[in-house]
Amino acid sequence: MAKFSKNSMVLCFLVAIVFVISSASASTRLKKFDHPTKGDGTLNFLVIGDWGRRGTYNQSHVARQMERVGEKLDIDFVLSTGDNFYDNGLTGIHDSNFVESFTNIYTAKSLQKQWYSVLGNHDYRGDVEAQLSPYLRKIDSRWVCLRSFVVNAEIAEIFMVDTTPFEEKYFTTPKDHIYDWRGVLPRQAYMANVLKELEKALSESTAKWKIVLGHHAIRSAGHHGDTQILVDRFLPILRKYDVDFYMNGHDHCLEHISDTESPLQFLVSGAGSKAWRGDTKGINRDDVHFFHDGQGFMSVELTPTEAEIKYYDVFGSVRHRWNRSKLLLHSAM
């Protein structure tokens, strides 16, 4: 009997080890959403950030221009760079702010496509679990919001990452704000896992175009400027795996900045509603190709070998256009 008990203990120990290893492996896999491209292999989408204000601060005007561009490009989906609902996220799954700031604003036929969204710091001030809840998809089937995940669009993979927990000030000096850190603590372990998941996903990607999207900037000439912890911990990974574009919001403006050590481009689209802050930092730097301190959004047109980025203002005018050949790595301003 003693012998059986000992063997049973060994077996249980081995099973436990396998379970822990399997769990750890699973935790380093980002959920992936497959989104097919058009029959001709092209991919078009819009990028918008910092928008949810029940139509105010020109949010409705930007939405109308998105309608026009979305129809012209026959977009496949929309990406949101976070701060989806102001000022303090959602209060719960039945919060009317979801319908009033999203469903009732982006009503155009051309925008009835999937919206892939990450969380911003303002979203963390509300009920984060509500904003992540699948229940919201019952209200509006377009809505897909997770902390970190991958959109596999055949010729491009878009790695959506949760950057808010990387900013220490939200933990140490929250002022009068209350952040919902459920699912994030302990913070250091969470950050390490996000970076591990991102690096693993990038290392396995065979997509023609690699795009990483988060809320906070790596490089920005706007109000908030560079996010140093992202410069230290994200940027080396993006360079290592030849990421083409890093897209973000947070600064309420439109920007295009080039990396000084790689072909990586920093594309800021956080002008979905409230903008015009007027406090820019270093916009005359050589690496800053475009800065617009006003409302607007960005479009991305991809083929297997070509990319075209356009920035539109609140009137629908193209304020900046940039092209790249994937084969020649040649950019045209």
Side-chain angles (χ1 to χ4, degrees):
M1 187 70 177
K3 183 177 180 181
F4 175 78
S5 178
K6 182 179 180 180
N7 290 342
S8 298
M9 289 175 65
V10 171
L11 180 60
C12 289
F13 179 71
L14 292 174
V15 169
I17 290 176
V18 171
F19 176 77
V20 169
I21 293 174
S22 299
S23 298
S25 176
S27 69
T28 58
R29 292 278 181 177
L30 292 174
K31 183 176 179 61
K32 183 174 289 189
F33 293 86
D34 293 325
H35 199 119
T37 57
K38 301 180 182 64
D40 60 359
T42 63
L43 180 69
N44 298 331
F45 57 91
L46 304 182
V47 185
I48 185 77
D50 303 79
W51 42 268
R53 297 183 186 271
R54 293 184 167 92
T56 64
Y57 291 97
N58 283 339
Q59 183 193 359
S60 295
H61 294 293
V62 174
R64 281 195 286 273
Q65 300 306 329
M66 291 173 65
E67 170 188 1
R68 183 180 62 81
V69 176
E71 182 178 2
K72 180 180 179 180
L73 297 183
D74 186 20
I75 59 169
D76 297 280
F77 49 79
V78 178
L79 301 181
S80 172
T81 61
D83 276 2
N84 307 310
F85 302 101
Y86 283 97
D87 278 329
N88 300 307
L90 297 178
T91 59
I93 58 175
H94 300 295
D95 189 341
S96 62
N97 195 11
F98 178 74
V99 172
E100 293 170 3
S101 291
F102 178 57
T103 303
N104 290 354
I105 302 299
Y106 305 104
T107 58
K109 181 179 179 181
S110 64
L111 302 180
Q112 302 306 304
K113 307 293 175 68
Q114 216 71 65
W115 282 58
Y116 297 108
S117 307
V118 294
L119 298 169
N121 53 294
H122 281 267
D123 299 312
Y124 266 101
R125 294 178 188 176
D127 183 342
V128 167
E129 297 299 327
Q131 195 169 153
L132 299 174
S133 173
Y135 180 82
L136 295 184
R137 299 196 68 184
K138 296 180 180 180
I139 301 173
D140 194 318
S141 62
R142 295 175 293 172
W143 186 252
V144 176
C145 184
L146 287 78
R147 295 185 194 273
S148 298
F149 60 103
V150 179
V151 179
N152 173 28
E154 297 183 8
I155 64 172
E157 279 199 308
I158 304 161
F159 305 85
M160 314 281 285
V161 293
D162 185 20
T163 61
T164 298
F166 283 79
E167 274 281 44
E168 187 175 10
K169 66 182 180 181
Y170 301 135
F171 294 84
T172 58
T173 55
K175 298 180 181 179
D176 57 345
H177 305 301
I178 299 175
Y179 291 87
D180 181 0
W181 296 126
R182 288 177 295 169
V184 168
L185 303 176
R187 174 173 170 258
Q188 292 296 332
Y190 181 81
M191 292 191 300
N193 196 54
V194 169
L195 292 168
K196 185 177 181 180
E197 289 178 335
L198 175 62
E199 184 159 15
K200 184 174 181 62
L202 284 170
S203 69
E204 295 175 347
S205 177
T206 59
K208 299 286 187 182
W209 300 95
K210 296 180 184 179
I211 301 168
V212 176
L213 183 149
H215 179 63
H216 295 78
I218 294 178
R219 299 293 189 199
S220 173
H223 172 75
H224 296 291
D226 297 352
T227 308
Q228 191 58 48
I229 192 169
L230 299 190
V231 173
D232 295 339
R233 303 190 68 176
F234 272 74
L235 186 53
I237 296 174
L238 305 194
R239 288 171 174 166
K240 179 179 178 180
Y241 294 102
D242 299 319
V243 171
D244 298 285
F245 308 118
Y246 178 77
M247 301 176 179
N248 66 274
H250 197 44
D251 270 327
H252 297 183
C253 57
L254 303 173
E255 301 181 65
H256 173 204
I257 300 174
S258 289
D259 187 26
T260 56
E261 298 180 25
S262 77
L264 175 64
Q265 305 296 309
F266 304 104
L267 308 175
V268 180
S269 183
S273 57
K274 190 176 183 180
W276 303 107
R277 301 196 76 150
D279 50 350
T280 59
K281 301 176 181 178
I283 61 173
N284 295 320
R285 297 186 336 229
D286 291 340
D287 59 335
V288 178
H289 305 300
F290 169 69
F291 184 95
H292 176 60
D293 187 24
Q295 290 99 348
F297 61 98
M298 181 172 69
S299 71
V300 180
E301 301 171 62
L302 298 177
T303 74
T305 59
E306 301 289 335
E308 183 168 32
I309 310 296
K310 296 176 186 174
Y311 287 91
Y312 302 84
D313 64 19
V314 68
F315 304 107
S317 300
V318 176
R319 300 296 297 265
H320 179 68
R321 184 193 312 257
W322 184 84
N323 299 297
R324 159 166 288 172
S325 168
K326 190 65 173 173
L327 295 179
L328 301 177
L329 289 180
H330 172 73
S331 63
M333 296 305 300

